Amino acid sequence: MSDLGSLRERIDTLDTTLVNLLNERAEVSLNIGAAKRKATTSTEYVYNLTTLLSPFSLPFLIPNEQQEEEKEDVNNNVHYTFSDSSSKELHVYMPGREKEVYKKLERLNQGPLNHSSLHAIFREIMSASIALQKDVTVAYLGPPGTFSHQAAYERLGDSVAYVPVDQISAVFEAVEKKTTTYGLVPFENSTFGTVVETMDNFVKTSVRVRAETYLTVHQCLLSNSKMEKITKVYSHPQGLGQTRRWLSTHLPNAQLIPVKSTAEAAEQAAKEHDAAAVCSELCSSLYNLEILAKDIEDNSANTTRFLMIGTSSDNATKDDHTLIHFTVDHRQPGALADGLKIFKDYDLNLFKIDSRPSGLRPWHYVFMVECSGHFQHEPLQKAVKELEQFCLDVVVLGSFPNQRPQQQNE
């Protein structure tokens, strides 16, 4: 074994090599950004979702000569860039490409670093690369310290700017008005189900889904009062729902008060005597609260799924999901069943079905489905076209790479 001084010299040499390689990678990333800007402002082929949904014209097959090859070609895999007609702009965050990179890292990794550590390192490398190409801002449900904040940070790293807003609708508005580049919204929880406020905003938005990310949620009880003194517990409705059993056992007489976010709950608990908050451990340091109990969620596998929204979706990968919403004529028997059967006919798996009041008139509903496939691919294009025979107001909300954790796919 080498002596300590020699080992440290070796570390110093490796650090120098790493710095040089990181800057070399950054130069390539800058060149990629320049190539993307050139393509965006010149001959980029724009894939128009309104054409996809038109009852008169559907481009099932897109001629190769009409497609513009994306400048970042990895391992001879060709990527094409499509966007909505209203969104001919530079997109530097490519979740499909990111997924490829992480998979490649796992194949190359021989240790001793584990996959999670390597992911964390490269998350920051890619975050820095994104920031070099374009200033990226991400809206999330604030204030700082929410699970939305945590999920956004874990996905995009330290080099992008995070913008807290006070409600989910404001995340959509920030992206629609291009105040921020992207937004991250909670979509569903494995314990408590769909986040209805997010779904309601999807029904009336012009944004597109760009990516999904998952966060295992560990709830804590924070307060500056002793447990036996607590008379009120603040949290987001999802947080209260995820800890209902624990709260009923340990604080059966406490008033449960829903607020807009878990971080707001922590902020409120810090201001009041005999109050507590159900929120993340991160909020303890942000709001100077004591941790009275950790991991109080009723389900230890409790996971929240978030969707990243932008002005367009990413390109197709080999494993994508698509979100679609539509209405039906409720006077027509079997209209919904006929519409759903189309997905089976085109071998498109359905992963999620929801409904919400349309707001147009009482007892009229919008249905939202999540299926396999990508809107660039022919089977889904044909399915959407046929869906219009049985359903009304069909809207493709976007396609995105499937990134559900493997154990949750089984």
Side-chain angles (χ1 to χ4, degrees), residues 185-289:
V185 291
F187 186 56
E188 62 176 328
N189 178 266
S190 60
T191 302
F192 210 56
T194 300
V195 181
V196 295
E197 185 179 353
T198 297
M199 187 174 170
D200 287 344
N201 277 277
F202 270 125
V203 170
K204 56 188 178 183
T205 188
S206 62
V207 305
R208 295 291 176 259
V209 182
R210 191 163 185 84
E212 66 173 356
T213 191
Y214 293 79
L215 180 70
T216 301
V217 176
H218 296 297
Q219 302 280 12
C220 297
L221 185 74
L222 306 185
S223 179
N224 288 327
S225 301
K226 294 184 180 299
M227 182 83 76
E228 59 270 19
K229 297 289 187 180
I230 292 173
T231 60
K232 292 182 285 187
V233 178
Y234 293 95
S235 192
H236 186 274
Q238 291 275 354
L240 295 175
Q242 294 160 16
T243 57
R244 184 179 292 114
R245 190 182 310 129
W246 191 94
L247 291 172
S248 65
T249 300
H250 295 87
L251 294 168
N253 298 318
Q255 181 185 4
L256 306 183
I257 305 173
V259 291
K260 291 179 181 178
S261 71
T262 52
E264 181 182 325
E267 189 175 27
Q268 193 66 31
K271 296 176 181 177
E272 299 182 21
H273 294 295
D274 305 334
V278 172
C279 50
S280 69
E281 186 175 349
L282 175 63
C283 288
S284 172
S285 57
L286 289 174
Y287 298 99
N288 297 314
L289 289 164

Side-chain angles (χ1 to χ4, degrees), residues 36-49:
K36 287 179 180 177
R37 273 188 290 273
K38 182 178 179 180
T40 302
T41 56
S42 58
T43 58
E44 178 185 18
Y45 175 72
V46 177
Y47 185 88
N48 188 345
L49 272 180

Side-chain angles (χ1 to χ4, degrees), residues 172-189:
F172 283 85
E173 183 179 358
V175 177
E176 288 170 348
K177 293 184 176 180
K178 300 185 180 179
T179 306
T180 63
T181 318
Y182 304 114
L184 193 80
V185 291
F187 186 56
E188 62 176 328
N189 178 266

